[in-house]
Amino acid sequence: MKLLFPILLLTGSYFLSACNNTQSLMSSTHTIAASDPHIQVMGRTHINDDASLTFGYPGVSLSTIVAGSRLTAEMQSSNGNSWIDVIIDNHPPTSIKLDAQQQTVELFHFPNSGEHRVEIIHRSENWHGQVTLKQLTLTGTQFLPAPVLPQRKILVLGDSVTCGEAIDRVAGEDKNTRWWNARESYGMLTAKALDAQVQLVCWGGRGLIRSWNGKTDDANLPDFYQFTLGDTGQAPQWDHHRYQPDLIISAIGTNDFSPGIPDRATYINTYTRFVRTLLDNHPQATIVLTEGAILNGDKKAALVSYIGETRQQLHSNRVFYASSSHHPGDNSDAHPTKDQHAAMARELTPQLRQIMDW
């Protein structure tokens, strides 16, 4: 009986020590660079010397799975005008505006540790700023294997409609970068419906041969298709071997036709050369040309005719046409609304299923 108390005291000390060790394990921190393989990346990114990632095109998505109670990200936007969506465990997204200076973004913080899936989606356009993700820091147990992307791959080329401009418009509010929402764009919705990963390579106001204001010295589609970040023609240029799409959708022409119907031969010859570049760079890809949602009347008819002649000049069984209905936006903005983007995806998806036999 005299030995019972010391034994109980020792046993109690052991359990207290074990509990403290467990709490210490659960509250430990783990930091990984943005280019770490535990983070799955969809979209064009540039890997910097410090293993951080920089991106400019909308829709760039980064996802990870963790076991822990808190996760933070070190991020910044070069212009301080970029927005991201953060989605935790498929719950509704939280939209966050990034500062021009590096900031700590708290992605989640729960009272208890658990397994969570996290997605960061770039809402904004390239000219809103370049976004850099430096690292993720986890309070908890570990980073788990990264989510697996779908096997099918789509590349969507276009202008502000493809970028998701003004999807989240607010009536009576001055237009601002919060209105862009690539996640709800027709391109990303179509890819989701087709169980495919997707890259959006788009630039608001730009066209095939000229911008919305008639300028021909801007970077238009044949130029910015080659860009990694989408802001200038300077390095880094995109390495097309990094992403070989099964399907390429080209939805360009609205801004070319904004000042008036462009010269037929100039437009068709440029489009033909560009599509040949796509065919050469992506030898396994099917290419679908479409007129987009904004043009109507004579301009729409002219663009559809130009697309038809482009296909005739190419003589390729890998180049197709998909029609688009007119979606004129609303009184707040001429860009398609969120509901109209959803309708565009519903119209486009069955055409692509038939073309691709998906």
Side-chain angles (χ1 to χ4, degrees):
M1 293 296 293
K2 291 182 179 179
L3 295 175
L4 181 59
F5 177 75
I7 292 173
L8 289 175
L9 181 61
L10 179 61
T11 304
S13 298
Y14 170 78
F15 281 118
L16 181 61
S17 175
C19 182
N20 287 337
N21 288 338
T22 301
Q23 290 176 348
S24 176
L25 177 63
M26 295 302 292
S27 62
S28 61
T29 59
H30 311 269
T31 298
I32 60 173
S35 55
D36 187 281
H38 287 92
I39 302 174
Q40 184 64 264
V41 178
M42 184 180 75
R44 292 188 178 185
T45 61
H46 175 65
I47 303 176
N48 301 303
D49 291 341
D50 63 354
S52 64
L53 293 179
T54 298
F55 46 91
Y57 283 120
V60 172
S61 304
L62 306 106
S63 56
T64 189
I65 301 175
V66 301
S69 60
R70 183 173 186 256
L71 185 67
T72 63
E74 301 298 318
M75 302 189 72
Q76 69 184 96
S77 164
S78 60
N79 292 340
N81 289 317
S82 303
W83 287 79
I84 58 170
D85 275 344
V86 177
I87 300 175
I88 310 297
D89 300 328
N90 295 316
H91 288 296
T94 298
S95 299
I96 299 171
K97 188 178 184 182
L98 299 176
D99 294 336
Q101 302 298 319
Q102 184 173 295
Q103 67 189 108
T104 299
V105 179
E106 186 171 76
L107 304 177
F108 71 75
H109 192 179
F110 296 109
N112 299 312
S113 183
E115 183 174 316
H116 301 286
R117 176 173 176 144
V118 181
E119 293 179 85
I120 301 171
I121 303 172
H122 186 214
R123 294 173 59 97
S124 302
E125 274 203 66
N126 54 354
W127 55 272
H128 298 165
Q130 295 180 16
V131 173
T132 297
L133 171 63
K134 181 178 181 181
Q135 61 191 30
L136 298 181
T137 298
L138 172 70
T139 301
T141 306
Q142 61 182 332
F143 286 88
L144 299 171
V148 178
L149 292 173
Q151 289 188 344
R152 295 170 179 167
K153 296 180 179 180
I154 298 176
L155 171 64
V156 186
L157 308 172
D159 48 36
S160 56
V161 176
T162 300
C163 291
E165 179 172 346
I167 285 180
D168 283 347
R169 70 198 68 195
V170 178
E173 179 181 275
D174 290 339
K175 195 170 188 176
N176 60 80
T177 56
R178 173 65 178 78
W179 286 22
W180 274 250
N181 184 353
R183 182 176 51 81
E184 297 281 1
S185 68
Y186 77 91
M188 296 198 78
L189 295 176
T190 299
K192 184 176 181 179
L194 294 172
D195 189 26
Q197 53 181 294
V198 64
Q199 285 190 358
L200 305 183
V201 176
C202 49
W203 197 328
R206 305 300 170 88
L208 178 75
I209 62 172
R210 63 185 181 184
S211 299
W212 67 274
N213 55 6
K215 291 182 64 177
T216 58
D217 56 350
D218 287 328
N220 285 300
L221 180 56
D223 305 302
F224 68 77
Y225 157 74
Q226 306 288 356
F227 299 168
T228 298
L229 303 177
D231 62 333
T232 68
Q234 300 175 359
Q237 297 284 287
W238 177 248
D239 178 4
H240 296 289
H241 293 97
R242 290 178 59 185
Y243 186 81
Q244 283 294 339
D246 303 296
L247 170 63
I248 301 172
I249 303 165
S250 178
I252 202 69
T254 297
N255 294 303
D256 297 284
F257 284 72
S258 179
I261 297 176
D263 177 72
R264 186 179 188 90
T266 301
Y267 196 90
I268 292 170
N269 291 338
T270 302
Y271 215 169
T272 301
R273 286 194 302 271
F274 177 62
V275 176
R276 284 198 178 113
T277 297
L278 297 178
L279 291 168
D280 290 342
N281 287 345
H282 311 287
Q284 83 286 6
T286 297
I287 299 170
V288 175
L289 312 181
T290 184
E291 72 272 26
I294 291 183
L295 291 180
N296 203 21
D298 291 343
K299 291 181 178 180
K300 178 185 176 78
L303 178 54
V304 171
S305 175
Y306 287 10
I307 290 173
E309 190 165 336
T310 298
R311 293 182 59 218
Q312 289 177 5
Q313 288 197 13
L314 288 164
H315 301 293
S316 173
N317 60 5
R318 293 165 51 203
V319 181
F320 294 81
Y321 165 70
S323 63
S324 175
S325 299
H326 179 51
H327 295 281
D330 60 14
N331 292 333
S332 298
D333 196 281
H335 290 85
T337 65
K338 181 182 293 186
D339 288 343
Q340 289 170 355
H341 269 271
M344 291 163 62
R346 290 194 299 271
E347 295 165 1
L348 185 58
T349 297
Q351 296 182 76
L352 299 179
R353 284 192 193 279
Q354 184 174 10
I355 291 170
M356 300 299 295
D357 194 24
W358 282 354

